[in-house]
């Protein structure tokens, strides 16, 4: 028994409308802290969305079975976690006095060129003094995995996402 099933009857025929949901958590890369206010949306057979709660949970659906593409977005909000210490961590990494994890290397590459260098440290410092309003790497908030496709979505799918605040090398972001 899967609970109530939606049905449509027409002149003696019966159509069962199957539904499914996509649900999970969005957690921060550095400490697995819940990330609230992330908009998780799905477009395809229907267009639906949900926003993560204070525990980072979301649930899209139940919705009709079909093909869907799922994407995530979060408003910039407070970017106070990006600070001069992050630029200093990049410089320390470059001279070999600090080791960065793969995730830290990802958020350090604010230039988006695939190489961590003084340009990244400089972009963070320029952002801090108001000379930059964004980073070449794209949105401040990025997610892994990126966009997901379900072709088709035929059953409930559990998917967790990792959230990254670009430039927050030391992982100091807090809700």
């Amino acid at each position: 028994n899967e609970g109530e099933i939606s049905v449509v009857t027409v002149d003696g025929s019966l159509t069962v409308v199957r539904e499914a949901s996509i649900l999970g958590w969005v957690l921060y890369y550095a400490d697995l802290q819940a990330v609230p206010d992330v908009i998780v949306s799905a477009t395809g057979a229907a267009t639906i969305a949900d926003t993560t709660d204070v525990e980072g949970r979301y649930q899209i659906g139940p919705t009709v079975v079909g093909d869907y593409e799922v994407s995530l977005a979060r408003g910039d909000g407070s970017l106070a976690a990006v600070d001069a210490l992050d630029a200093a961590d990049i410089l320390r990494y470059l001279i070999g006095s600090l080791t960065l994890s793969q995730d830290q290397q990802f958020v350090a590459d604010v230039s988006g060129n695939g190489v961590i260098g003084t340009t990244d440290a400089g972009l963070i410092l320029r952002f801090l003094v108001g000379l930059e309003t964004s980073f070449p790497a794209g949105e401040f908030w990025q997610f892994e995995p990126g966009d997901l496709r379900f072709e088709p979505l035929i059953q409930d799918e559990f998917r967790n996402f990792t959230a990254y605040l670009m430039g927050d090398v030391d992982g100091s972001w807090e809700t």
Side-chain angles (χ1 to χ4, degrees):
N1 185 357
E2 296 177 6
E4 288 189 32
I5 298 175
S6 299
V7 296
V8 177
T9 57
V10 177
D11 297 328
S13 67
L14 173 73
T15 304
V16 176
V17 180
R18 291 191 46 162
E19 295 181 329
S21 297
I22 305 166
L23 55 153
W25 285 268
V26 179
L27 305 173
Y28 198 56
Y29 88 93
D31 54 9
L32 302 180
Q33 178 181 179
V35 181
D37 304 321
V38 175
I39 300 167
V40 184
S41 56
T43 56
T47 300
I48 52 178
D50 191 22
T51 302
T52 56
D53 63 16
V54 296
E55 295 178 354
R57 288 183 304 205
Y58 73 92
Q59 179 174 342
I60 300 175
T63 188
V64 296
V65 169
D67 293 349
Y68 288 92
E69 184 170 338
V70 177
S71 59
L72 286 81
R74 187 173 198 272
D76 294 342
S78 173
L79 301 174
V82 180
D83 56 30
L85 292 176
D86 297 307
D89 283 349
I90 291 171
L91 296 174
R92 290 176 53 216
Y93 168 77
L94 292 173
I95 63 169
S97 68
L98 179 67
T99 301
L100 298 179
S101 70
Q102 187 173 359
D103 287 337
Q104 288 175 305
Q105 291 177 42
F106 175 74
V107 297
D109 184 19
V110 296
S111 64
N113 66 2
V115 177
I116 301 168
T118 56
T119 300
D120 299 298
L123 284 167
I124 290 172
L125 294 173
R126 289 176 56 83
F127 168 74
L128 293 174
V129 297
L131 296 175
E132 300 287 339
T133 57
S134 63
F135 294 135
E139 299 291 327
F140 282 106
W141 284 96
Q142 298 189 17
F143 303 91
E144 181 63 36
D147 295 346
L148 286 179
R149 290 175 122 12
F150 295 96
E151 296 175 334
L153 174 68
I154 58 174
Q155 64 186 11
D156 288 352
E157 295 284 347
F158 296 89
R159 292 292 192 273
N160 294 334
F161 293 88
T162 302
Y164 299 90
L165 175 56
M166 297 305 289
D168 182 21
V169 180
D170 63 6
S172 61
W173 177 81
E174 294 180 2
T175 57

